[in-house]
């Protein structure tokens, strides 16, 4: 095989590399994985450029789900790496209030808090504080789970929404559990 084969081979490698660009950028110290918990990384949004402290979000695509993951610090440098700290619990309360505010604006109706809970890792260490909701959006019943944690002195928030059905809370817990394994691999 002569030089033509080498040119075709190199061109094929370049075409593959260009067709599937690696998205390994870091946002406030976090690299959003391309695949996690069965979901695929979608669009990343930069809030930081216009509103410092508001960080970044990544949409994740999982059939039947709308999933957004946010990392931000609100300009705070003293966020404890403890999901049960008052700082994180206040942020969770604020995020909960934002959901009710969206309801007051008419986008959601019949909002109910189904459960407030703490998710622990395999060693029993608290990793997330969460709230599960039920509401109506676009005339459809929905289940939504909000989970918040702190990681490397940043807030990490998960919003996961799907059609109301049995087992949806467990699916959301599995997704944030996959993140826990990535964020705290040896702890």
């Amino acid at each position: 095989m002569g030089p033509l084969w080498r040119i075709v081979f190199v061109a094929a490698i370049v075409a593959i590399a260009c067709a599937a660009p690696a998205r390994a950028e870091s946002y406030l110290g976090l690299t959003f994985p391309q695949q996690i918990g069965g979901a695929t990384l979608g669009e990343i949004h930069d809030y930081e450029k216009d509103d410092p402290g508001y960080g970044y979000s990544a949409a994740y695509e999982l059939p039947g789900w709308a999933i957004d993951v946010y990392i931000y610090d609100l300009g705070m440098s003293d966020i404890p790496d403890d999901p049960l700290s008052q700082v994180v619990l206040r942020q969770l309360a604020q995020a909960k209030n934002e959901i009710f505010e969206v309801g007051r604006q008419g986008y959601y109706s019949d909002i109910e808090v189904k459960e407030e809970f703490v998710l622990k890792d395999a060693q029993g260490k608290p990793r997330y504080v969460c709230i599960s909701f039920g509401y109506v959006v676009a005339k459809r019943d929905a289940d939504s789970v909000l989970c918040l944690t702190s990681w490397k002195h940043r807030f990490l928030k998960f919003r996961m929404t799907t059609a109301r059905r049995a087992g949806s809370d467990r699916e959301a817990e599995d997704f944030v559990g996959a993140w826990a394994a990535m964020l705290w691999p040896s702890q």
Side-chain angles (χ1 to χ4, degrees), residues 88-123:
V88 174
L89 294 176
R90 279 193 302 273
Q91 185 60 30
L92 180 68
Q94 180 178 333
K96 176 182 174 182
N97 289 338
E98 289 168 359
I99 290 171
F100 280 98
E101 179 58 33
V102 171
R104 285 188 284 281
Q105 294 172 5
Y107 295 102
Y108 303 154
S109 63
D110 301 326
I111 301 170
E112 65 169 314
V113 173
K114 296 190 304 183
E115 183 181 12
E116 296 188 25
F117 55 99
V118 174
L119 287 178
K120 298 178 180 180
D121 64 17
Q123 291 74 35

Side-chain angles (χ1 to χ4, degrees), residues 65-102:
W65 284 90
I67 300 174
D68 292 294
V69 179
Y70 302 84
I71 186 164
Y72 58 99
D73 62 18
L74 299 177
M76 300 169 60
S77 60
D78 59 346
I79 301 168
D81 286 338
D82 176 4
L84 300 177
S85 70
Q86 288 304 306
V87 171
V88 174
L89 294 176
R90 279 193 302 273
Q91 185 60 30
L92 180 68
Q94 180 178 333
K96 176 182 174 182
N97 289 338
E98 289 168 359
I99 290 171
F100 280 98
E101 179 58 33
V102 171

Side-chain angles (χ1 to χ4, degrees), residues 36 119-120 128 171-183:
I36 189 161
L119 287 178
K120 298 178 180 180
Y128 303 96
E171 292 172 28
E173 290 174 24
D174 289 346
F175 181 74
V176 295
W179 276 85
M182 182 191 83
L183 298 169

Side-chain angles (χ1 to χ4, degrees), residues 4-17:
L4 181 59
W5 178 84
R6 287 188 195 129
I7 292 170
V8 170
F9 180 75
V10 169
I13 297 297
V14 169
I16 291 169

Side-chain angles (χ1 to χ4, degrees), residues 130-151:
C130 302
I131 304 172
S132 64
F133 298 88
Y135 51 76
V136 175
V137 59
K139 298 183 181 180
R140 293 194 173 117
D141 289 337
D143 288 331
S144 187
V145 178
L146 164 68
C147 289
L148 191 73
T149 192
S150 52
W151 177 78

